Amino acid sequence: MRSWLDTQLGRFTMYRLVLVVLAVLAGYAAVLDLLGWISFGIAAIGLSLVVSLSVTVAVSWLTAKLFRAHTHLESSLITGLLLFFLFTPSTSARPLTVLAIAAAIAGASKFLFAVRGRHLFNPAAIGALLVSFLGPGLVSTERASWWVATPAMLWLVLPAILLVLFRTSKLVFAGIFLLVSSSIIVARLLGSGFYEPAAAFALPFTSYPGLFLVGFMLSEPLTLPPRRWQQWGLAGIVAVLFSVPFALPPVYSSPELALVVGNLIAFALGQRRGLRLTYLGAKALTPSSKEFSFTLPRPARFKAGQYMELSLPHRGSDGRGIRRVFSLTSDPHDGGKVAFGLRLSEPSSSFKRELNSLSPGTVVSATGVWGDFVLPRGHAPLLFLAAGVGITPFMSHLRSVQKHSSETRDVVLVYTVNSVEEFGYRDELARLCAAEGVRLVTFCPDDPQLGEHLGSGYPEAEVPKCTTGS
């Protein structure tokens, strides 16, 4: 079931998936209103939706033009839909004006609130937060209400966020946030003496917006730190800020404030600037794969084994989108150069076709670096298992270990390939095999006469040599 769901969700980019899910939730809200389960009025829902979407998209487009940057329509639509769920739907001029201002701030935030090309905040959160400081005459009663946190909406909100969190592998991250926040809220409610235990345990999920916040906003990859343990710590910190009320006029606790503070913490922990990569060229690894090399004005911060997301706007983009993640194959200390190895089999995505047609000197942007597939500390023996193009993160490991380890490290690489022709990095692996401490064990239909050959197929536990020498 898990494999089937992975395959189905993998047909969509994350932007497309979140956009579709939020659009379905908006339609669900309209149905609930028609049924009388919520009582905003269908006109209020429709008008608020038009205002939030149109203003966000228009301001995003205008600001991008001003900064000579590319626009991302799906991202703008997602921000507009998020704001729709944050501000109470209305047909009155005042609340619609507040919503429009929040949408304008959100649309411009990726360019106005950015440091060296990297935006700091979740756009919807910063829009909702800053609109609350515009002045009591305008917004004293029109702050973000997070009306999506209603029992009627929960029936679809819950499966929607589970779908998104499953796709982003953030279920544990969300669980930490919900465990910490609900524990604090339940303790507060029980301590007040006004709630029965059953009601106190239900309210954090039926009347507080924690589920929506963590599912659609806090888990946004671009505003998360790079390592898993950092993300889990961030989930706990934001949960405390979210669930503990405080007042330091003019600052008051709110979900959007908790989220913005979390964004600042994530920014401090991660790659604190946008990355502009200048294309150097590509070399063939196999008949169906290449390694693409880039240089940066300043070295990027990453560890061997991590991955980078490239952004490559192009005409005729297919459903896989204009952003893709690739494992870094380069040594983190390689003087401002980065490389990615990838398979280019047909039919190829529009992204890979565009990447393969780049001319040297072309500048490409990257959104950040993430990943926990890094080497353990110390000098413990290492066993790497790779197949085909899956060798790419291990090349970063091997290049880093051989050049920068203060001691010889015992490394065994078990590599499975379909044919000799598909043996990626063969010459470089031969040199690494010649270095003390590196041992290559291959599984290949034809003996490639490199390293220790154990036949074709895939390695099995019954082959004792696979588990020795490390």
Side-chain angles (χ1 to χ4, degrees), residues 107-126:
S109 66
K110 288 186 179 181
F111 308 98
L112 297 181
F113 303 116
V115 176
R116 291 179 290 184
R118 180 183 171 185
H119 73 271
L120 300 178
F121 307 113
N122 178 282
I126 194 64

Side-chain angles (χ1 to χ4, degrees), residues 15 63 105 129 146 227 237 256 362 403 442 466:
Y15 286 101
T63 313
I105 295 172
L129 177 65
W146 295 74
R227 301 294 302 279
I237 293 172
E256 57 269 25
T362 303
K403 289 184 180 179
T442 62
C466 293

Side-chain angles (χ1 to χ4, degrees), residues 294-295 299 302 329-339 399 403-404:
F294 299 82
T295 185
F302 71 94
T329 60
S330 46
D331 177 4
H333 308 89
D334 199 11
K337 294 181 180 179
V338 295
R399 289 165 171 172
K403 289 184 180 179
H404 305 286

Side-chain angles (χ1 to χ4, degrees), residues 283 291 302 304 329-339 375 379 382 394-409 411 428 431-432 435-436 438:
K283 66 177 182 180
E291 183 177 72
F302 71 94
T329 60
S330 46
D331 177 4
H333 308 89
D334 199 11
K337 294 181 180 179
V338 295
L375 294 173
H379 300 278
L382 300 172
F394 297 118
M395 294 308 301
S396 181
H397 289 143
L398 291 170
R399 289 165 171 172
S400 177
V401 166
Q402 290 304 303
K403 289 184 180 179
H404 305 286
S405 180
S406 58
E407 298 179 13
T408 300
R409 197 160 185 174
V411 180
E428 184 170 357
R431 292 194 296 270
L432 290 171
E436 182 181 355
V438 178

Side-chain angles (χ1 to χ4, degrees), residues 7-285:
T7 300
Q8 299 306 311
L9 295 179
R11 300 176 186 273
F12 299 90
T13 66
M14 269 311 303
Y15 286 101
R16 188 71 49 82
L17 176 64
V18 173
L19 178 59
V20 169
V21 167
L22 289 174
V24 170
L25 286 176
Y28 178 63
V31 171
L32 291 181
D33 194 274
L34 291 172
L35 294 174
W37 291 15
I38 57 178
S39 55
F40 302 121
I42 196 67
I45 288 177
L47 191 56
S48 296
L49 191 57
V50 168
V51 169
S52 60
L53 289 173
S54 60
V55 174
T56 304
V57 170
V59 173
S60 295
W61 183 83
L62 289 171
T63 313
K65 291 296 182 183
L66 180 63
F67 283 84
R68 297 180 179 179
H70 293 284
T71 57
H72 196 294
L73 179 60
E74 288 181 331
S75 177
S76 299
L77 290 172
I78 289 170
T79 299
L81 283 167
L82 290 174
L83 287 168
F84 165 71
F85 290 112
L86 269 56
F87 288 86
T88 304
S90 175
T91 57
S92 301
R94 178 165 155 165
L96 287 175
T97 301
V98 173
L99 175 58
I101 295 173
I105 295 172
S109 66
K110 288 186 179 181
F111 308 98
L112 297 181
F113 303 116
V115 176
R116 291 179 290 184
R118 180 183 171 185
H119 73 271
L120 300 178
F121 307 113
N122 178 282
I126 194 64
L129 177 65
L130 292 186
V131 80
S132 66
F133 293 109
L134 292 181
L138 180 62
V139 298
S140 58
T141 60
E142 309 298 343
R143 299 179 62 156
S145 64
W146 295 74
W147 65 268
V148 68
T150 60
M153 289 293 297
L154 181 64
W155 292 102
L156 198 56
V157 167
L158 181 57
I161 66 165
L162 287 175
L163 198 66
V164 172
L165 292 171
F166 177 84
R167 175 68 170 79
T168 56
S169 301
K170 290 294 183 290
L171 288 169
V172 174
F173 171 83
I176 293 171
F177 172 87
L178 293 172
L179 177 63
V180 174
S181 62
S182 61
S183 298
I184 295 173
I185 293 170
V186 168
R188 286 178 42 231
L189 295 176
L190 292 175
S192 70
F194 294 106
Y195 295 90
E196 295 294 327
F201 279 96
L203 280 174
F205 306 100
T206 59
S207 299
Y208 284 77
L211 281 168
F212 190 84
L213 182 146
V214 74
F216 292 112
M217 301 175 75
L218 181 60
S219 59
E220 180 197 17
L222 294 183
T223 51
L224 284 179
R227 301 294 302 279
R228 186 181 294 114
W229 67 268
Q230 295 171 336
Q231 295 173 9
W232 291 354
L234 179 70
I237 293 172
V238 175
V240 172
L241 295 172
F242 167 80
S243 53
V244 177
F246 63 88
L248 300 170
V251 178
Y252 300 88
S253 59
S254 67
E256 57 269 25
L257 176 61
L259 187 54
V260 166
V261 172
N263 293 161
L264 288 173
I265 295 173
F267 177 78
L269 293 172
Q271 181 72 43
R272 292 188 291 273
R273 60 187 173 92
L275 299 173
R276 305 287 288 175
L277 285 62
T278 301
Y279 180 57
L280 295 176
K283 66 177 182 180
L285 300 176

